[in-house]
Amino acid sequence: MFRISLDALMILDAIDRRGSLSAAATELHRVPSTISYSVARLEEDLGVQIYDRQGPKVSLTRAGEELLNEGRYLLRIADDLEKRVMRVASGWETELNIGLESLFAPISLETDIAAFCGVAGGTRLRFSRESLTGSWEALLDRRVDLMIGAPGQGPSGGGYVAEEIGKISFVFAVAPTHPLAKVKGKIKKEELLLHKAISVSDTARRLAPRTIGLMYGQNVVAVPDMQSKLGLQLSGIGFGFLPEPYARKAIASGALIKKEVEEPKPDETFYLTWRAEEVGAALGWWIERMRHVDLTGRLIESISVV
């Protein structure tokens, strides 16, 4: 059986904040003798002196200071636990994991995060970024509860809801210093094989990873996100397809040259997706919020361009 109770810790905290036993008694709606007895009982149970008593004044001993410091940590945990239990009982999740396709920046959800915290501050939000098939896998493997911007068609087998949020077009681009920049007309596949491609790594761990615009035997440099891919293509190290919003400014300035290829990449469709059987209050809030904003427009606006 524990010798330290949360009630005793609450009394020590009140004495320290209020400065006296009588003031603590007033805050806790108890008589001073009850406060004094509780402290004496705690000292007896622990076999240590918590306060030095000099007339009406009391001060914490070193043992008392340690007890109060660590005790306040326990009080915060207990208070948080009570609130979370009450939220669970009301249907609100204690934590919500939201995944975002690595193409997009989390800052695009700034206003949504602020609004959510205003109505559900007790629900922890955790954001992560995934790429390509990894976006779908993160949902199916329960690493995220909601995936924003999952690209392409989802895996077979179902178990999830997917709502289209928009499409983004891609352009093939190279730096002016790259050999492919001098090619006249459409670039053939045979010419692409002679040079290095830059691609974004699929974050899938279990499902078959997906590649975009790559051919068998292609020499590839794989990077973790689209920003890195853009940077390497600007440097002239390699070629590849880029989302048009990513490449727009670089093409306009001449830092990249848009080229035609024999096999262009079609527009990519992006989805808002979640597991069908698990919709708590927090997840439901985010689903409805995402349905009623220009999500694709905001995601595109958040893309960093050079």
Side-chain angles (χ1 to χ4, degrees):
M1 183 176 180
F2 293 112
R3 300 176 184 179
I4 303 173
S5 67
L6 292 176
D7 185 69
L9 294 175
M10 186 171 61
I11 289 172
L12 296 184
D13 174 64
I15 294 172
D16 184 70
R17 287 185 293 100
R18 296 299 183 181
S20 68
L21 296 177
S22 60
T26 300
E27 177 182 311
L28 299 175
H29 305 289
R30 304 182 190 184
V31 296
S33 59
T34 301
I35 299 296
S36 180
Y37 172 80
S38 297
V39 172
R41 179 62 184 272
L42 180 59
E43 289 179 319
E44 180 181 345
D45 289 343
L46 292 176
V48 300
Q49 187 175 348
I50 297 174
Y51 285 102
D52 283 326
R53 296 167 176 81
Q54 298 177 357
K57 295 184 178 181
V58 295
S59 59
L60 286 167
T61 63
R62 290 186 62 184
E65 291 177 352
E66 182 69 14
L67 177 61
L68 179 59
N69 290 337
E70 296 300 318
R72 280 175 169 159
Y73 176 69
L74 293 176
L75 288 173
R76 287 194 295 270
I77 292 177
D79 181 62
D80 184 63
L81 177 60
E82 285 185 358
K83 292 176 180 177
R84 292 187 181 283
V85 168
M86 293 174 67
R87 293 194 72 81
V88 170
S90 67
W92 288 87
E93 301 91 317
T94 58
E95 180 174 286
L96 189 69
N97 294 285
I98 298 177
L100 196 64
E101 218 291 330
S102 65
L103 174 63
F104 307 114
I107 194 64
S108 61
L109 303 174
E110 178 183 11
T111 57
D112 310 299
I113 294 171
F116 179 78
C117 291
V119 299
T123 298
R124 288 190 296 264
L125 284 178
R126 188 184 301 274
F127 288 87
S128 60
R129 300 178 79 185
E130 303 285 345
S131 297
L132 302 172
T133 302
S135 297
W136 295 95
E137 184 186 88
L139 179 75
L140 298 180
D141 287 356
R142 300 178 182 276
R143 298 198 299 273
V144 301
D145 303 301
L146 177 69
M147 191 68 214
I148 300 174
Q153 293 296 319
S156 60
Y160 58 85
V161 177
E163 295 184 359
E164 181 178 333
I165 59 176
K167 296 182 179 182
I168 293 179
S169 61
F170 282 69
V171 295
F172 186 93
V174 295
T177 55
H178 194 280
L180 292 176
K182 300 179 176 61
V183 175
K184 303 297 182 180
K186 291 186 178 180
I187 300 175
K188 299 179 180 180
K189 292 191 295 183
E190 295 77 18
E191 293 175 295
L192 295 179
L193 284 172
L194 299 175
H195 303 282
K196 197 180 304 293
I198 311 297
S199 72
V200 174
S201 298
D202 196 316
T203 56
R205 308 171 189 175
R206 176 178 53 82
L207 299 176
R210 176 185 170 196
T211 59
I212 296 177
L214 297 179
M215 295 171 289
Y216 180 77
Q218 182 74 61
N219 191 351
V220 178
V221 174
V223 294
D225 52 54
M226 192 61 71
Q227 288 178 323
S228 302
K229 174 177 165 64
L230 174 61
L232 290 184
Q233 290 187 217
L234 284 167
S235 71
I237 291 176
F239 66 82
F241 288 98
L242 290 165
E244 190 278 332
Y246 256 95
R248 186 182 303 157
K249 187 175 179 180
I251 292 173
S253 68
L256 285 177
I257 297 177
K258 179 181 176 181
K259 302 293 290 184
E260 298 295 325
V261 292
E262 278 188 333
E263 294 185 8
K265 179 185 173 353
D267 292 352
E268 184 76 89
T269 303
F270 294 88
Y271 294 88
L272 180 72
T273 181
W274 62 92
R275 292 185 297 278
E277 78 282 3
E278 302 173 13
V279 182
L283 177 55
W285 186 97
W286 274 93
I287 292 171
E288 288 304 309
R289 180 83 176 190
M290 296 297 95
R291 283 170 170 167
H292 293 90
V293 298
D294 179 17
L295 183 55
T296 303
R298 274 211 262 138
L299 292 175
I300 291 175
E301 287 178 4
S302 74
I303 292 176
S304 298
V305 293
V306 175

